[in-house]
Amino acid sequence: MTHVAFLGLGDIGALMARRVAAAGLDLAVWNRTPARAERFMAALPDRSRVRVAGGPADAVRGADVVISCVSTSSDVVDILGPEHGVAAALSKGTVWVDCTSGDPPTCRLLAAQLAAIGVSFVDAPVSGGTAGAEQGTLTVMCGGDAAVLERVRPVLATFGSKIVHCGPVGAGDAVKAVNNALLAAALWAAGEGLAALRKAGVAPDVALDVINASSGRSNATMNLIPQRVVTRAFPRTFRLALLDKDVAIAAAFAREQHVPSPMLQLAAEMMRLAHATLGDAADHVEAIKVIEQWSHVEIA
Amino acid sequence: MTHVAFLGLGDIGALMARRVAAAGLDLAVWNRTPARAERFMAALPDRSRVRVAGGPADAVRGADVVISCVSTSSDVVDILGPEHGVAAALSKGTVWVDCTSGDPPTCRLLAAQLAAIGVSFVDAPVSGGTAGAEQGTLTVMCGGDAAVLERVRPVLATFGSKIVHCGPVGAGDAVKAVNNALLAAALWAAGEGLAALRKAGVAPDVALDVINASSGRSNATMNLIPQRVVTRAFPRTFRLALLDKDVAIAAAFAREQHVPSPMLQLAAEMMRLAHATLGDAADHVEAIKVIEQWSHVEIA
Amino acid sequence: MTHVAFLGLGDIGALMARRVAAAGLDLAVWNRTPARAERFMAALPDRSRVRVAGGPADAVRGADVVISCVSTSSDVVDILGPEHGVAAALSKGTVWVDCTSGDPPTCRLLAAQLAAIGVSFVDAPVSGGTAGAEQGTLTVMCGGDAAVLERVRPVLATFGSKIVHCGPVGAGDAVKAVNNALLAAALWAAGEGLAALRKAGVAPDVALDVINASSGRSNATMNLIPQRVVTRAFPRTFRLALLDKDVAIAAAFAREQHVPSPMLQLAAEMMRLAHATLGDAADHVEAIKVIEQWSHVEIA
Amino acid sequence: MTHVAFLGLGDIGALMARRVAAAGLDLAVWNRTPARAERFMAALPDRSRVRVAGGPADAVRGADVVISCVSTSSDVVDILGPEHGVAAALSKGTVWVDCTSGDPPTCRLLAAQLAAIGVSFVDAPVSGGTAGAEQGTLTVMCGGDAAVLERVRPVLATFGSKIVHCGPVGAGDAVKAVNNALLAAALWAAGEGLAALRKAGVAPDVALDVINASSGRSNATMNLIPQRVVTRAFPRTFRLALLDKDVAIAAAFAREQHVPSPMLQLAAEMMRLAHATLGDAADHVEAIKVIEQWSHVEIA
């Protein structure tokens, strides 16, 4: 019987943990703010195999699989800090699956630190949003030893339908970060182009109709911009602050790999200045509003 | 009965003119290099309503619709230069449809010059490649007066299946240029990201599998890179020299519209340096080879 | 005896024209807003050889040398538009010296248009500001035929102490635009660096002390930033709107010359967005305020 | 009597250590490649107070001041790795002065690691080149506690004439990196501009004459380009590989400080691709050759 510890019950994490519980696995949950853990428990239909741990060490004690799902790799480092006693509570042979959208260098440090005490590490960030987490259809991008991944695959399968072994430790985070950087680049470039076209008298839906039948199409032009920008709906589904963080990870990763990457670096800067301009609450698609302000035009 | 003059029988132009002829319209063709016009004639199944003109003025004389399909807007300016006598040969009421992938400011000058002699101008660049031209399924992006476009729509329909009125004169060229700039940005950004992933031990097909199921996907990641880069096939279907030209048009257009556009400008510079590095014969997707050279890695 | 026509009495132009008058040359002045011409006359100590012309054609009639000093090359094109009758009023052999900070392609068109009526063209933008104009110590960057420049050099020497033949028509404008683009790039890069240092606890004057003794120094770090930014004085001596225009000219010029130039292009975009953010009245050094806003810090 | 340990006898380091010895201080030197230490000794006029240590632990034993001067902060981390026993050999109260051109985050880790064993840390990269090191006129940019700096100032004064306290730990490295990034940006921007001017018929010395009398001047235009590029001398005084490293540090530093910094990021990418193109032996000024290759022109 697999015992799972789940650390971090944010918007996505709570839904993932709920699916782990629904699969009938033994589960100990912990969240820095205890109220979220209480709320998580209160919403469960069956609490018989689930407990709220008093701290991260209490959560991981006796666990076969630890899943962390926090904001940044630094938060995982903090959980493993000596003051929490997590290292001492971990059993040899445990697998630590980090579903945080983290950064590869810190992942490698975490993996080395855990390896020294006989714990394996897999970075496993997810994509698919709250809908995917709820329905168990997340994509899980995994970095680490392939054999270790096989051991935890049944646990990941409770919330993910596409579980991909990307490469060594850090590869999962790298793939997720690059994906998000490509989104940022395509979104921003499309915003620039559509703003210029709008000022020249070309309606965005006409331009998008052509582009989406042609070679310049992307997820940004096919989905995000028509559904969220042209309609002025701008729903808040994924925060710009998080995209900023992810694109910065991709940009630093490209540097670390010695790949000259002016486009990814510029995308990171645009997200950074948009985040600084629009604040922490803004959705990632709202970044386009910065281009609109600069250009004195609305893409609508 | 519509009389059509077709100026410029390049790879795409010849296929378009062939469809005009096949529709049974009266057709006069001209090409700067006469051999191409002879070859065009030789390949026609029915030459009864088609003639090779001795020069551009001879071609346009008596035409209701003039179609130009040359390399740049400057080439159209040259055709209308006083030494060719084209202006004098044009009839009032004629519509000049420019299928060149041109630039908006020169289009506006051409339109003004032609308006002064009673000729209407529509910029109408196409997308869809040689396959689309052959099958008559091109997308035609039109700029100019909507009523004028309606008059020539039946002629455009001989080679295009999606004929879109984008806006005033220059709007067709602007939309095409922006589309191609979005392609260039997405292609280059993906090249940077995949090169870094490859160096970190992530196979391109694995990365693309994830990206194409996620938010960073684009025509570049879904089609061009898997089919042409990962396979190392790099077929030559659309020259980098032409993409360089188009992205430079988009970049200048964004400036002209006073839209701060660092991403489009950078895309233009990357195409320019790739073009300078790889030469005139290279295909547009080969631009990625420059990133590979810089990074000492192959995306394969 | 040299007859000079001076078109455009802006802040710099009026001071230059005043020095032409002080040198005792015959002078006809014109300004689009007549009030400025009246004010110019009222301030002259000796008006005996100076007249206010009723229009540009009236000004240039009988002139050996025409000096234009307006905002953009387009303004010169407008002055030469058929409605003003300037072309007919010009004498063969006249030299048109354009002190506008113009753009090379339009200069070449102007030169061709004037050559057709026997008038020579020299582009001759100036640097040195109002102080240099007042004291006759401007730098004058000249493009055009060297022999033609020699003929007008005595006139230019009334306001310029460094008169440089840069190359063919357009070369003067190109050098000025590139100079200003280098200023923009150095200023902006220094703003980024000093903002980051300030946030890390390094005082700007300490950082500048080191940089100005080292390899990263520039006019921006040695003069503009210590005197205007660190002091928060931000005097309005040269408008950001004009620097934006000039850097855009340099960026377009680099493209026209087929030089991949990501840095100049980016500098142009930064000036454009700063101009859009801060408005038309802002001084060029205020561009740094945009970086400060993004970074939530003051370089002081 | 101050005992100094000097770790790292590279081109600059050996000259600095030589001045420490010449000042009559007790000195233990160590270099990873022992031959360099032997050569250092052989060249000393007076070896009476100098010894070659058998390893870094041997060198630092009994030292009041440790000076490290290696390639990267990682090299310092390696020296402090448990296998060398350096930590155990250090005395409480020792000051570790790191003259490496390092990166601020690693400096902070080093400072924390040393603080735990009672050793103070000062980052103190230098500028001024081999000439400055030989003559004792280096600029030393210091980060750390001001009082600690005062204690070691007499030692630093043996090789530096301008010793500046920049701010907390990491500030010295940050200032040096930013200085070098401003150099890189100015050099590259000037290269782009001069290449375009050259293609348009403007000789570089003419353009530089104007720019250096005007607002766009920088150390690059006043010294490096006229002396090294226009002459085609390209002496190898400071490797592009090192400038690449430094600008990357500045770019990462600006990100860490949450300063949107597209220009510094782009400068870092240009250095990276130039380094990748020209190899490890190239001088930093040779970066301009990449622009020349792209543009098919020589700035000469």
Side-chain angles (χ1 to χ4, degrees), chain A residues 251 255 260-261 265 268-269 272, chain D residues 251 255 258 260-261 265 269 272:
Chain A
R255 286 234 173 94
S261 48
Q265 306 302 328
E269 294 314 301
R272 169 134 300 166
Chain D
R255 286 235 172 94
H258 295 277
S261 47
Q265 306 302 328
E269 295 314 301
R272 169 134 301 166

Side-chain angles (χ1 to χ4, degrees), chain B:
Chain B
M1 186 62 222
T2 305
H3 287 61
V4 176
F6 205 107
L7 313 176
L9 299 167
D11 290 343
I12 301 277
L15 293 167
M16 289 162 66
R18 187 181 167 91
R19 289 198 64 92
V20 173
L25 303 181
D26 274 341
L27 178 65
V29 300
W30 172 79
N31 192 73
R32 205 173 39 178
T33 318
R36 289 194 82 107
E38 298 306 332
R39 213 182 317 149
F40 169 79
M41 282 300 272
L44 282 184
D46 175 2
R47 285 182 283 274
S48 57
R49 293 173 166 286
V50 185
R51 70 182 175 91
V52 174
D58 179 31
V60 307
R61 193 165 292 117
D64 307 299
V65 177
V66 177
I67 301 177
S68 50
C69 193
V70 289
S71 296
T72 67
S73 290
S74 289
D75 296 327
V76 186
V77 171
D78 287 349
I79 290 172
L80 277 161
E83 67 278 22
H84 295 301
V86 171
L90 286 164
S91 314
K92 255 193 182 177
T94 294
V95 180
W96 188 300
V97 178
D98 182 23
C99 293
T100 304
S101 291
D103 67 275
T106 308
C107 273
R108 289 181 213 118
L109 292 175
L110 287 166
Q113 184 182 348
L114 290 167
I117 56 171
V119 171
S120 301
F121 179 90
V122 174
D123 51 302
V126 300
S127 74
T130 50
E134 204 155 3
Q135 296 154 30
T137 58
L138 292 171
T139 295
V140 191
M141 294 152 257
C142 303
D145 188 82
V148 170
L149 171 58
E150 287 320 305
R151 281 165 50 203
V152 296
R153 187 180 285 270
V155 178
L156 304 188
T158 63
F159 51 73
S161 59
K162 184 178 181 84
I163 299 165
V164 182
H165 182 243
C166 294
V169 166
D173 282 345
V175 169
K176 167 135 197 206
V178 166
N179 175 76
N180 285 9
L182 297 187
L183 164 63
L187 179 67
W188 190 272
E192 291 179 356
L194 291 169
L197 288 171
R198 184 70 192 74
K199 291 185 84 167
V202 182
D205 54 350
V206 172
L208 289 166
D209 177 41
V210 173
I211 290 166
N212 289 335
S214 189
S215 55
R217 70 186 181 278
S218 66
N219 178 48
T221 63
M222 291 186 289
N223 298 298
L224 297 176
I225 295 177
Q227 293 163 15
R228 300 171 173 219
V229 178
V230 178
T231 60
R232 312 312 288 169
F234 291 111
R236 294 191 157 176
T237 62
F238 175 52
R239 290 198 298 126
L240 177 56
L242 294 175
L243 184 59
D244 175 15
K245 182 201 70 168
D246 289 347
V247 185
I249 290 171
F253 168 71
R255 286 236 171 92
E256 183 199 40
Q257 298 300 329
H258 295 280
V259 171
S261 47
M263 196 83 76
L264 295 187
Q265 306 301 329
L266 183 64
E269 295 314 301
M270 296 301 109
M271 293 306 111
R272 169 134 301 164
L273 71 85
H275 177 192
T277 302
L278 301 171
D280 273 342
D283 183 71
H284 68 303
V285 177
E286 291 182 82
I288 276 186
K289 289 181 178 175
V290 172
I291 300 171
E292 294 182 330
Q293 289 169 12
W294 287 343
S295 308
H296 310 300
V297 78
E298 265 193 14
I299 299 171

Side-chain angles (χ1 to χ4, degrees), chain C:
Chain C
M1 184 63 222
T2 304
H3 287 61
V4 177
F6 205 106
L7 313 176
L9 299 166
D11 289 345
I12 301 277
L15 293 166
M16 290 160 66
R18 187 182 169 93
R19 288 197 65 93
V20 174
L25 303 180
D26 275 340
L27 177 66
V29 299
W30 172 79
N31 192 72
R32 205 173 40 178
T33 318
R36 288 194 83 108
E38 298 307 331
R39 213 182 317 150
F40 170 79
M41 284 298 273
L44 283 184
D46 175 2
R47 286 181 284 276
S48 58
R49 292 172 166 289
V50 186
R51 69 181 174 93
V52 174
D58 178 30
V60 306
R61 194 166 291 119
D64 307 299
V65 178
V66 176
I67 301 176
S68 50
C69 194
V70 289
S71 295
T72 68
S73 290
S74 289
D75 296 328
V76 185
V77 171
D78 287 349
I79 289 171
L80 277 160
E83 68 277 22
H84 294 302
V86 170
L90 285 164
S91 316
K92 256 194 182 177
T94 294
V95 180
W96 187 300
V97 178
D98 183 22
C99 293
T100 304
S101 291
D103 66 275
T106 308
C107 272
R108 289 180 214 118
L109 292 176
L110 287 166
Q113 184 182 348
L114 290 167
I117 55 170
V119 172
S120 301
F121 179 91
V122 174
D123 52 300
V126 300
S127 74
T130 49
E134 203 155 3
Q135 296 154 30
T137 58
L138 292 172
T139 295
V140 191
M141 294 152 257
C142 303
D145 188 82
V148 170
L149 171 59
E150 288 318 305
R151 280 164 51 204
V152 296
R153 187 181 285 269
V155 178
L156 303 188
T158 63
F159 50 76
S161 59
K162 185 179 181 84
I163 299 165
V164 182
H165 182 244
C166 295
V169 166
D173 282 344
V175 170
K176 167 136 196 202
V178 166
N179 175 75
N180 284 8
L182 297 187
L183 163 63
L187 179 67
W188 189 272
E192 292 180 356
L194 291 170
L197 288 171
R198 184 69 191 74
K199 291 185 83 167
V202 182
D205 54 350
V206 171
L208 289 166
D209 177 42
V210 174
I211 290 166
N212 289 335
S214 188
S215 55
R217 70 186 181 279
S218 65
N219 179 48
T221 62
M222 291 187 288
N223 297 299
L224 297 177
I225 296 178
Q227 294 163 14
R228 299 172 173 216
V229 178
V230 178
T231 60
R232 313 312 287 168
F234 290 111
R236 295 191 157 176
T237 61
F238 175 50
R239 289 197 299 125
L240 178 56
L242 294 174
L243 184 59
D244 175 15
K245 183 200 69 168
D246 289 347
V247 185
I249 289 171
F253 168 70
R255 286 236 172 92
E256 184 199 37
Q257 298 300 329
H258 296 278
V259 172
S261 46
M263 196 83 77
L264 295 187
Q265 306 301 329
L266 183 63
E269 295 314 302
M270 295 300 110
M271 293 306 111
R272 169 134 302 164
L273 71 85
H275 177 192
T277 301
L278 300 171
D280 273 343
D283 184 72
H284 69 302
V285 178
E286 292 182 82
I288 276 187
K289 289 182 177 175
V290 171
I291 300 171
E292 294 183 328
Q293 288 168 14
W294 287 344
S295 309
H296 310 300
V297 76
E298 264 192 15
I299 299 171

